Amino acid sequence: FEAFRLYAASTRRALNPDGRLHDTGFRRSGRWMPIDWTLVGESEIEATVPASVESGPSGAGLDYRADSGTGGDVAVKLLFLKPGNYRIRSSATRETDDAQSLAVWQLRCVDTQGKALAELPLPASAEAARTFQAIFAIPNDRCPVQWLALTLRASQGQDGLRGSVLRVSVDRVK
């Protein structure tokens, strides 16, 4: 948690007191990893913030792609969610039309590599932007720090997997 306080002091940004997601539009990727977004940029799989969006008024957006048969986390962020119930919500669109390929938000405890606490699949076929959401719970004192990751799983189809995330948010629900 000391890193979180140092981040707030260095960036002069107030952080959410309950640890929920800030920078829902990917404007601050890579500056203060892992508290800001960490984006993967490899030859077969990547996530990028388009230059035209990065400097635009909304500063929102993340493009992702995975070549055929590849996959993995392309955007990762550290969270400090307190025990309780939360909603993950994301607006996204997809360019490729292969139902066997999958883009999914996953929330995992940092200290385990096991099952995700929450999964939010994004569009399974090419379509216009729409919003998806899921409710999940952070268990009492067993998961004080979490990873939020956009995970891609491209099928063997020729087009691979391509799409965009406009926003993602994580908020406490009562």
Side-chain angles (χ1 to χ4, degrees):
F1 298 113
E2 186 60 31
F4 213 45
R5 284 190 285 277
L6 178 61
Y7 170 86
S10 297
T11 60
R12 294 189 175 99
R13 298 187 67 214
L15 296 175
N16 301 312
D18 60 2
R20 71 184 188 273
L21 183 65
H22 68 283
D23 190 17
T24 61
F26 310 98
R27 288 179 286 201
R28 301 183 63 86
S29 63
R31 293 183 183 149
W32 290 85
M33 299 180 284
I35 295 170
D36 281 336
W37 289 103
T38 302
L39 304 180
V40 169
E42 298 176 2
S43 61
E44 296 178 333
I45 185 171
E46 74 175 341
T48 58
V49 176
S52 61
V53 173
E54 195 172 55
S55 59
S58 68
L62 177 79
D63 291 339
Y64 62 82
R65 73 162 184 81
D67 292 346
S68 296
T70 62
D73 294 346
V74 292
V76 181
K77 185 173 187 52
L78 194 64
L79 300 180
F80 299 90
L81 302 175
K82 295 178 182 177
N85 296 318
Y86 292 84
R87 174 185 300 115
I88 181 171
R89 183 179 297 169
S90 186
S91 296
T93 185
R94 183 143 153 200
E95 296 172 25
T96 54
D97 200 12
D98 177 358
Q100 299 301 313
S101 293
L102 179 67
V104 60
W105 284 110
Q106 291 187 329
L107 188 86
R108 301 182 290 261
C109 290
V110 166
D111 59 352
T112 65
Q113 294 300 319
K115 183 180 176 189
L117 293 171
E119 287 197 349
L120 180 64
L122 297 181
S125 60
E127 61 181 74
R130 81 184 173 127
T131 301
F132 300 82
Q133 66 180 8
I135 303 293
F136 66 95
I138 298 294
N140 288 334
D141 299 327
R142 291 195 333 239
C143 185
V145 184
Q146 310 85 28
W147 287 115
L148 177 62
L150 179 60
T151 304
L152 306 182
R153 297 181 197 127
S155 75
Q156 296 296 330
Q158 66 180 14
D159 293 333
L161 175 61
R162 286 175 179 35
S164 298
V165 174
L166 305 176
R167 291 208 171 285
V168 61
S169 63
V170 175
D171 294 298
R172 194 171 193 122
V173 295
K174 304 210 183 224

